[in-house]
Amino acid sequence: MTGPAIPDTDRIQPAFVLVRPQMGENIGAAARAMWNFGLDRMRLVAPRDGWPNPTAGAMASGAGRLLDEAGLFDDVAGAIGDCQYVMATTARARGMTKPVLSPERAMQEAARRIAAGERVAMLFGPERAGLENDDVARANALVNVPVNPEFPSLNLAQCVLLCAYEWRRATAEVVAERVDMAGADWAERQEIERLANHYEERLETAGFFFPEHKAARMRRNLRNMWSRMPLTRADVRMLHGIMRQMVRWGGRG
């Protein structure tokens, strides 16, 4: 049942090789995890329940194309035969002299090597016990996920998801934080200045700045509060409205 390597797509990326996966559901979930982060080169080595597997397709949701195009191989040697650099995921020590990389560092290295023209593969072991030492011996480096040592077992699809996410971080611009404006605009300084003046005037009338020897500091603290607040123009209009309504309501008494 030895199959050819998957033809190159326009996406420069590593091949994710699932070695002797046991459950079709996990293969499908792995495909979905890969496609979440733009990866579509899956290779399968001797799936326990044969291939194709209908339960994999059901679990893959919209990532069924990855399963249709997945390479099928008899053994690990065939699955990585066209690669220059191979990494093997593992949660335990193997007693072999090899570089051991975090998932983040591994995907950075994969990106560097692929950019230099190399083919890179990442091995993921079967659900029950992970990769065998004979599989690991074929890898250039190990990828060790920093899991809880008291519960090191990591689901196959979860491990694929974690590595796929790190690939995305290594190769795409990931914004650490942003604000979704939802059609709003930030208020200009002159708008915030008018808001500050409005509140200060009304608070002065209400006798807020008391006692007198503390008034200057209270005004300064109030101005400082406005300058710290990330206000939109809609926020400013609302705060003006709140103060006007409070003044009107107070006048009823």
Side-chain angles (χ1 to χ4, degrees), residues 177-189:
E177 181 178 349
R178 72 174 190 270
V179 176
D180 290 333
M181 297 299 291
D185 294 316
W186 291 117
E188 296 178 355
R189 295 311 307 172

Side-chain angles (χ1 to χ4, degrees), residues 5 16-17 24-25 40 46 48 59 71 77 83 99-100 102 120 122 189 202 221 223 227-228 235 242:
F16 275 27
V17 183
E25 292 89 345
D40 62 3
R48 182 191 66 182
M59 192 68 183
C83 298
V100 180
S102 68
V120 175
M122 176 163 284
R189 295 311 307 172
R202 295 304 184 183
N221 289 343
R223 292 277 173 161
S227 68
R228 289 200 315 268
D235 295 332
I242 289 173

Side-chain angles (χ1 to χ4, degrees), residues 35-66:
W35 191 230
N36 280 150
F37 297 100
L39 292 165
D40 62 3
R41 277 182 219 169
M42 174 181 281
R43 302 182 182 185
L44 302 173
V45 176
R48 182 191 66 182
D49 297 333
W51 195 255
N53 187 320
T55 61
M59 192 68 183
S61 187
R65 180 179 66 81
L66 274 69

Side-chain angles (χ1 to χ4, degrees), residues 118-133:
E118 296 184 37
R119 291 177 181 266
V120 175
M122 176 163 284
L123 304 179
F124 299 86
E127 297 88 324
R128 184 180 60 83
L131 293 166
E132 296 179 359
N133 283 340

Side-chain angles (χ1 to χ4, degrees), residues 69-91:
E69 298 176 359
L72 185 62
F73 299 86
D74 289 318
D75 51 37
V76 172
I80 63 175
D82 64 337
C83 298
Q84 286 86 24
Y85 194 78
V86 178
M87 294 179 281
T89 58
T90 181

Side-chain angles (χ1 to χ4, degrees), residues 145-159:
V145 179
V147 295
N148 177 5
E150 296 180 3
F151 188 62
S153 177
L154 191 64
N155 176 269
L156 170 61
Q158 291 174 334
C159 189

Side-chain angles (χ1 to χ4, degrees), residues 101-108 143-146 162-163 166-167:
L101 311 177
S102 68
E104 180 181 21
R105 181 69 185 90
M107 293 298 96
Q108 292 170 350
V143 180
N144 186 250
V145 179
L162 190 153
C163 293
E166 292 296 349
W167 168 258

